[in-house]
Amino acid sequence: PTYRLKYRPKTKGWRAWTEDERAKFEKRWPIGTTPRLAYVLALWLGNRRSDVAALEVDAIQGNAIVMRQVKTGRELRLAITPMLREALDAADLAGPTILLTAYGNPFSPKSLTGRMADWTKSAGLPPGCTLHGLRKTLGKMLADSGATTRQIMDTLGHTDIKHAELYTKEAEQERLAKAGMGKGVRFHRG
């Protein structure tokens, strides 16, 4: 009775973008284009597609973005990075949302996902370079730079520490393994 069932192993979810993939996307879609604005919002705010699509112009408050996450209802106040500021300064913020379609309407989360697939394909990127992958990219960058689990959690708006720990464990494993190997090499050369 199970011959039609397919084995579905656990996955790690969406993957982070590589530096090369980010560089290709940025080269194809310069500052001032909608694809670049969507990319920068997703990468430097680290939020889900529903939050990126719904982000209203009045969320920009000085040097911060103040928003309430759609999925969790959690309110976040996130610093505007220089990269995000550059994209916002070049954007037409006529509203009501920061991101607008070619017709001047807000994106739905689903349509934003579809457009991102088109934009990444146009940039020559492989499948798997998604909006959620940019969220994961920020988490990975934070972990690799030494951010604590709590800092990652508060930046990405996680309500469960287990999600943030995924990033720090991966980064710490690499850092600790490198440090350990360095000690082993020094001992061997001793």
Side-chain angles (χ1 to χ4, degrees):
T2 61
Y3 80 96
R4 287 189 187 190
L5 295 178
K6 295 200 186 325
Y7 172 65
R8 296 168 99 173
K10 283 190 174 186
T11 64
K12 293 182 180 181
W14 302 108
R15 69 172 182 80
W17 290 34
T18 66
E19 286 183 36
D20 181 54
E21 289 166 343
R22 292 194 320 267
K24 275 184 168 178
F25 191 90
E26 291 173 9
K27 183 177 180 183
R28 170 63 180 92
W29 300 108
I31 293 289
T33 62
T34 300
R36 181 64 167 267
L37 182 58
Y39 161 88
V40 169
L41 287 169
L43 177 61
W44 292 108
L45 293 178
N47 272 275
R48 299 169 188 87
R49 69 180 184 167
S50 56
D51 299 316
V52 172
L55 196 58
E56 295 181 351
V57 174
D58 64 2
I60 303 168
Q61 296 181 15
N63 290 323
I65 297 282
V66 179
M67 60 183 288
R68 182 171 302 280
Q69 289 185 313
V70 173
K71 181 177 178 181
T72 64
R74 187 163 183 208
E75 188 168 312
L76 299 177
R77 182 175 187 87
L78 301 168
I80 295 176
T81 63
M83 294 69 72
L84 179 54
R85 174 59 67 197
E86 182 182 24
L88 290 171
D89 287 347
D92 175 11
L93 299 175
T97 57
I98 294 174
L99 272 178
L100 297 172
T101 67
Y103 302 105
N105 299 318
F107 280 93
S108 72
K110 199 170 193 174
S111 68
L112 184 56
T113 297
R115 292 301 295 139
M116 183 54 98
D118 294 339
W119 298 329
T120 55
K121 186 175 182 180
S122 175
L125 300 181
C129 291
T130 63
L131 281 168
H132 204 82
L134 290 170
R135 175 176 166 81
K136 193 160 192 176
T137 302
L138 179 60
K140 185 177 183 321
M141 289 189 315
L142 291 169
D144 288 343
S145 68
T148 66
T149 300
R150 186 65 202 199
Q151 288 169 324
I152 294 168
M153 191 174 173
D154 285 341
T155 301
L156 300 180
H158 288 138
T159 55
D160 182 349
I161 199 164
K162 290 179 185 177
H163 288 96
E165 284 179 338
L166 294 174
Y167 299 108
T168 53
K169 282 181 184 177
E170 185 177 313
E172 287 172 3
Q173 182 280 321
E174 186 175 342
R175 240 187 336 268
L176 291 172
K178 187 176 181 180
M181 190 60 74
K183 289 178 180 184
V185 169
R186 283 191 300 277
F187 178 77
H188 177 71
R189 290 185 179 163

